[in-house]
Amino acid sequence: MEKDAEKVFRDLKEDLSTYAELKLELIKLNAYERISKVIAVFSYGLLLCALIFITIQFALLALGILLSNRFNSMAGGFGIIAALYFLQVAIVIYNKNRVCRMVINIIVSVLNTNEENNDATTTTPEESKQE
């Protein structure tokens, strides 16, 4: 009788340690997945910002040349463009908190997306009955 209880407790201990190891591995994999999603969204945003920046640079360069021809003054045309740049910088500085909140919200929403994460540890008994 005592031998059977020892065997049951030993098996239970092994099962619990196996469960803990698997649960830890699942947590690590979920963390890796979420981190990779954040990096992917960040990379996409960075690439998009770079392309928009280059497009704006060429558009403002063309506008500077156009205004230079219009005013017959190279300094006048590009001075207006410089003023536009200073205005953009002022707008970005003024909206710093709004931009930071927007970035934080994007990161949090990416971290909270649980697409296709219906594994045995998060499934409720009602969900498992439906499957």
Side-chain angles (χ1 to χ4, degrees), residues 29-96:
L29 290 174
N30 283 336
Y32 293 155
E33 178 185 16
R34 289 179 179 203
I35 289 170
S36 65
K37 283 182 182 180
V38 168
I39 290 172
V41 168
F42 181 73
S43 299
Y44 172 76
L46 196 60
L47 179 64
L48 186 63
C49 285
L51 291 174
I52 290 171
F53 176 75
I54 291 170
T55 303
I56 289 172
Q57 292 302 312
F58 278 111
L60 289 175
L61 180 65
L63 183 62
I65 293 171
L66 178 72
L67 291 175
S68 294
N69 290 335
R70 194 62 89 168
F71 294 131
N72 292 327
S73 169
M74 190 70 82
F78 282 100
I80 293 172
I81 298 303
L84 287 175
Y85 276 118
F86 284 124
L87 180 65
Q88 286 177 347
V89 169
I91 290 171
V92 169
I93 290 172
Y94 180 75
N95 291 317
K96 175 187 171 195

Side-chain angles (χ1 to χ4, degrees), residues 10 13 20 30 40 45 47 54 56 84 102 104 107 112 119:
R10 192 177 324 111
K13 180 183 172 187
N30 283 336
L47 179 64
I54 291 170
I56 289 172
L84 287 175
M102 182 180 69
I104 290 170
I107 290 172
N112 284 331
D119 57 89

Side-chain angles (χ1 to χ4, degrees), residues 6-19:
E6 284 181 21
K7 184 179 183 290
V8 167
F9 283 120
R10 192 177 324 111
D11 290 344
L12 182 61
K13 180 183 172 187
E14 289 175 12
D15 289 343
L16 284 175
S17 64
T18 302
Y19 174 76

